[in-house]
């Protein structure tokens, strides 16, 4: 519920980058929507920005909210420019609850995908258990570490995550993204165990004895 922000209660000071929460900045009780509703039924014959007639039941800004006024920024300070009064009571375009919640979900899905791909590529290098062959190829381990570092930096580092349209994850969300990759890795290891048993059962007894020794 947007409102004109102030120095004492503004969005920039209270925004939580990890959850997308806006603190007290957009509390409905602090705004105008209940006390002085800025919307009214649109007059008959009103048109939208494309020149098309509005559907029945549409709401329009009241006249006083369509007048030019001083623009107030997300930090509660004057921007020194002029805008319509209603623009000061709108939610932030990119950091509102819907947009930011979608970004958090996309970030978690992207992180799960990266972890699944890296785990899959590292597990299929050998039919043996991954823990037995993990450090056998130093270059593979190095590339795994670099890939993980790039992924984590892309999510958690300010400015960089904004550039790639990702949101930082809190500890709980970060931990949840590891569940699916660990499950897939466990299934891969289980399937490799089954293949090893089938492969050894098809060998002649002498060959199995040699393998055992």
């Amino acid at each position: 519920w947007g409102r004109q922000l102030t120095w004492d209660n503004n969005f920039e000071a209270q925004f939580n980058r990890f959850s997308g929460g806006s603190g007290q900045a957009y509390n409905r009780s602090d705004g105008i929507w209940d006390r002085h509703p800025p919307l009214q039924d649109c007059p008959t014959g009103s048109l939208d920005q494309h020149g098309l007639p509005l559907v029945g039941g549409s709401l329009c800004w009241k006249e006083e909210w369509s007048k030019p006024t001083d623009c107030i920024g997300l930090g509660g300070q004057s921007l020194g420019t002029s805008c319509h009064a209603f623009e000061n009571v709108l939610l932030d375009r990119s950091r509102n609850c819907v947009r930011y919640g979608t970004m958090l979900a996309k970030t978690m899905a992207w992180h799960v995908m990266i972890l699944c791909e890296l785990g899959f590529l590292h597990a299929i290098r050998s039919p043996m258990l991954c823990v037995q062959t993990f450090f056998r190829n130093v270059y593979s381990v190095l590339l795994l570490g670099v890939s993980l570092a790039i992924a984590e930096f892309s999510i958690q580092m300010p400015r960089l995550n904004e550039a790639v349209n990702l949101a930082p994850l809190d500890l709980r969300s970060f931990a949840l993204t590891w569940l699916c990759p660990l499950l897939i890795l466990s299934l891969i290891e289980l399937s490799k165990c089954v293949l090893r048993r089938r492969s050894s059962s098809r060998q002649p007894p002498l060959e199995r004895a040699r393998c055992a020794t």
Side-chain angles (χ1 to χ4, degrees), residues 9-22:
N9 187 3
N10 63 78
F11 179 77
E12 288 291 1
Q14 302 191 50
F15 176 70
N16 188 324
R17 294 178 56 255
F18 293 98
S19 67
S22 57

Side-chain angles (χ1 to χ4, degrees), residues 18-95:
F18 293 98
S19 67
S22 57
Q24 304 296 317
Y26 287 150
N27 274 0
R28 180 174 180 173
S29 59
D30 295 333
I32 59 172
W33 301 94
D34 293 329
R35 292 176 293 176
H36 306 287
L39 300 175
Q40 63 182 2
D41 293 331
C42 294
T44 304
S46 297
L47 305 176
D48 63 13
Q49 65 269 31
H50 304 295
L52 300 175
L54 295 174
V55 298
S58 297
L59 297 176
C60 294
W61 295 102
K62 292 181 178 179
E63 183 178 356
E64 60 267 28
W65 289 96
S66 298
K67 296 179 179 179
T69 187
D70 187 27
C71 281
I72 304 299
L74 296 176
Q77 79 284 7
S78 173
L79 298 180
T81 57
S82 179
C83 62
H84 293 100
F86 68 79
E87 295 182 54
N88 287 330
V89 296
L90 298 178
L91 298 175
D92 183 72
R93 293 186 177 182
S94 61
R95 292 180 292 180

